[in-house]
Amino acid sequence: MSVRIYNTLTRSKAPLVLLDSKRVRMYVCGMTVYDYCHLGHGRVMVAFDVVTRYLRSRGYVVEYVRNITDIDDKIIKRAQENGEPIDALTARMIEAMHEDEARLNVLRPDHEPRATAHIGDIQRMIQTLIVKGHAYAADNGDVYYRVRSFAGYGKLNNRNPDEMRSGARIEVGEAKEDPLDFVLWKAAKPGETRWPSPWGDGRPGWHIECSAMSTCCLGDSFDIHGGGPDLTFPHHENEIAQSEAATGKPYAMVWMHAGALRVNDEKMSKSLGNFFTLREVFEHHDPESVRYLLLASHYRSPISYTADSLEDARRSLVRFYTALEGVEAAAGEVDGSFAERFFAAMDDDFNTALALAALFDLVRELNRAKGESPQLAPALAFELKRLAAILGLLERAPSDFLRGEAALPLPAEEIEARIEARAQAKRSRDFATADRIRDELDSLGIVLKDGREGTSWVFDKR
């Protein structure tokens, strides 16, 4: 079965057909680095990390580009508020972004172009658009894209420009021919970062940055363009208009958009007090649990982030790691139906929810084998880890996750000492003391598991 992907442009699923045999060229809109990454950013990071991992597991050569917007109105404003140079702010936020994605086990993209390194490419694309009649330099020093010059405008969002024009207006200081026109080059205001250009000193508009960076890295046409749910309009619509008008070629063949992330069923917003950066969440929750939560729903489905949903994610990982505990994974023959279901789910528009369901059934089979057919357990554990790694999960030693020493109510050494004291009490047939030790540990969330190899334990936060 071939990989099928839902295309926002066609509003349908279709097999992935590549422009260049088995080479997948994918561009994803990245972060505007004026602040720390929030949960919504994490959703997009993880979604396209899994797309990349899965396609590579299927034998595709993936060239993954995710840009960095390092010049923008928000960046300028934040640097002024902080009293720091723009490049100092963006360098600090980029480093923090890389730290956050590493904790989420997100692989770095193959290319991470920055807008400020592509000013020349941006200006050349703008000049091409002016020559072709798709853009114009206004008297105020701005350069605008002439929306009505592009016949396909609105096709990504299935919107009619005439309908969009209703209610649109020209803001004070703008010199547009039409309210729908958008800025490609902004004339610099006093004290702002600027670059010289044929139209005067200024800086690029946001939309043109991605058009220039994507085509510079991947060519005029490429296979997949991805991003967050809020980018379909106007950002991605404008990218299509700019790029196809400039090159005369189709831009991205497939458009993928991750679903929205909501907090307690409300839009995440600082004004509502429900805005969380990734590092704030990581202070209280294991990053792998956050990754699991982001994978437990299909990437196009909305996710509601709640304390209960994150706790469910943690408990699911406890089940996985508990099944792996005490088993030395080794390649061997296993029932192939688990892998078949896993790959069938992922082939169908990267359905991680169904893929995880197949892995849960594999966990049940592993737990059964540990008790009834121990010789099969190593191969089942190997298969579980192999498939889970495609999702970026279960890559730690089970003890590292299950014990979670940073959150333990007792030092691990003391827990081990109490377990040994319990064992000694049992050997002495002092079962009342043994039961008391178990109950004391259980009240602290330390759950004991007796087995042929001795007693193991797991910390259950409850």
Side-chain angles (χ1 to χ4, degrees):
M1 181 177 177
S2 62
V3 177
R4 294 171 59 84
I5 303 178
Y6 181 85
N7 188 348
T8 307
L9 183 64
T10 62
R11 288 166 281 284
S12 63
K13 274 192 286 191
L16 175 62
V17 178
L18 301 177
L19 294 169
D20 179 16
S21 185
K22 283 223 162 188
R23 178 184 173 222
V24 181
R25 289 175 290 172
M26 180 171 72
Y27 181 89
V28 174
C29 288
M31 272 54 74
T32 300
V33 286
Y34 72 100
D35 205 347
Y36 294 114
C37 294
H38 55 65
L39 279 168
H41 293 140
R43 210 287 161 89
V44 174
M45 284 180 179
V46 170
F48 290 99
D49 178 61
V50 168
V51 170
T52 302
R53 288 173 181 264
Y54 184 70
L55 291 176
R56 287 174 177 163
S57 78
R58 279 304 215 185
Y60 292 98
V61 176
V62 181
E63 188 173 5
Y64 177 21
V65 179
R66 191 186 68 208
N67 77 292
I68 293 175
T69 297
D70 59 351
I71 185 65
D72 169 87
D73 289 342
K74 293 178 180 178
I75 293 172
I76 293 171
K77 184 172 184 282
R78 181 60 55 85
Q80 291 173 343
E81 291 172 350
N82 293 352
E84 65 179 321
I86 285 177
D87 57 355
L89 169 66
T90 57
R92 186 160 52 83
M93 291 299 105
I94 290 169
E95 182 180 4
M97 176 186 72
H98 289 156
E99 291 171 353
D100 290 342
E101 68 181 355
R103 296 185 71 184
L104 273 177
N105 197 23
V106 169
L107 303 175
R108 292 278 287 273
D110 298 296
H111 308 286
E112 211 168 38
R114 303 184 186 186
T116 57
H118 286 266
I119 298 299
D121 299 313
I122 291 168
Q123 291 183 357
R124 282 187 286 275
M125 181 171 275
I126 293 173
Q127 186 62 38
T128 297
L129 290 169
I130 291 174
V131 170
K132 289 188 172 185
H134 293 289
Y136 57 94
D139 293 339
N140 64 351
D142 293 344
V143 179
Y144 294 99
Y145 184 88
R146 189 175 278 121
V147 166
R148 291 186 180 276
S149 70
F150 183 68
Y153 194 81
K155 61 184 177 180
L156 180 66
N157 293 271
N158 196 27
R159 300 173 72 171
N160 186 313
D162 290 331
E163 295 174 353
M164 286 187 269
R165 195 179 192 281
S166 177
R169 64 192 185 91
I170 298 175
E171 300 292 340
V172 175
E174 293 181 324
K176 300 178 181 180
E177 295 176 352
D178 188 297
L180 292 181
D181 295 349
F182 56 88
V183 69
L184 300 173
W185 185 261
K186 293 185 176 184
K189 297 176 182 176
E192 284 189 348
T193 299
R194 64 188 64 206
W195 288 266
S197 83
W199 320 287
D201 290 357
R203 57 188 173 85
W206 177 38
H207 310 302
I208 195 67
E209 293 176 355
C210 281
S211 286
M213 286 186 283
S214 60
T215 53
C216 283
C217 292
L218 298 175
D220 294 343
S221 302
F222 52 92
D223 302 293
I224 299 173
H225 194 312
D230 55 333
L231 298 183
T232 57
F233 188 86
H235 185 54
H236 288 164
E237 196 73 65
N238 291 352
E239 275 191 68
I240 293 174
Q242 295 162 160
S243 304
E244 296 189 356
T247 67
K249 300 175 184 178
Y251 183 40
M253 301 300 103
V254 176
W255 287 84
M256 298 178 65
H257 292 93
L261 188 142
R262 301 172 69 82
V263 177
N264 294 316
D265 290 324
E266 291 186 309
K267 183 177 179 180
M268 190 169 65
S269 168
K270 289 183 178 179
S271 63
L272 294 175
N274 64 356
F275 182 92
F276 299 104
T277 66
L278 286 171
R279 51 193 48 214
E280 286 172 336
V281 175
F282 295 158
E283 288 178 4
H284 305 286
H285 303 283
D286 186 279
E288 190 170 5
S289 296
V290 178
R291 183 181 178 97
Y292 187 97
L293 172 63
L294 298 175
L295 294 175
S297 300
H298 188 280
Y299 77 90
R300 286 191 287 114
S301 300
I303 292 178
S304 183
Y305 173 86
T306 66
D308 288 343
S309 64
L310 193 51
E311 177 61 14
D312 288 342
R314 188 192 67 81
R315 288 182 180 274
S316 294
L317 283 173
V318 167
R319 289 177 61 188
F320 279 117
Y321 276 115
T322 300
L324 290 170
E325 189 176 29
V327 181
E328 190 68 36
E333 288 191 18
V334 296
D335 181 351
S337 65
F338 300 109
E340 288 175 6
R341 288 173 53 203
F342 177 90
F343 285 109
M346 294 298 289
D347 280 346
D348 186 14
D349 197 28
F350 311 101
N351 194 329
T352 52
L354 285 181
L356 286 170
L359 296 189
F360 267 116
D361 287 342
L362 180 51
V363 163
R364 280 191 281 272
E365 183 66 14
L366 172 56
N367 285 330
R368 186 195 64 76
K370 287 168 71 174
E372 300 176 10
S373 307
Q375 71 278 7
L376 297 178
L380 290 167
F382 182 89
E383 184 75 342
L384 176 59
K385 288 175 66 67
R386 179 181 77 89
L387 297 175
I390 296 172
L391 303 180
L393 296 172
L394 307 187
E395 296 183 357
R396 291 186 279 177
S399 59
D400 290 345
F401 179 86
L402 294 172
R403 296 187 179 184
E405 292 193 8
L408 289 177
L410 295 173
E413 296 80 5
E414 184 173 341
I415 295 172
E416 296 290 352
R418 293 195 186 190
I419 290 174
E420 176 56 33
R422 175 175 174 266
Q424 179 61 45
K426 290 174 70 175
R427 286 192 291 269
S428 302
R429 305 187 66 78
D430 183 359
F431 297 113
T433 297
D435 290 344
R436 176 179 55 76
I437 293 172
R438 173 189 281 274
D439 291 343
E440 288 174 352
L441 291 173
D442 186 74
S443 68
L444 296 172
I446 307 299
V447 180
L448 304 187
K449 297 178 182 291
D450 293 321
R452 286 180 295 181
E453 303 300 321
T455 300
S456 62
W457 57 273
V458 60
F459 177 47
D460 186 348
K461 294 180 182 179
R462 300 174 186 176

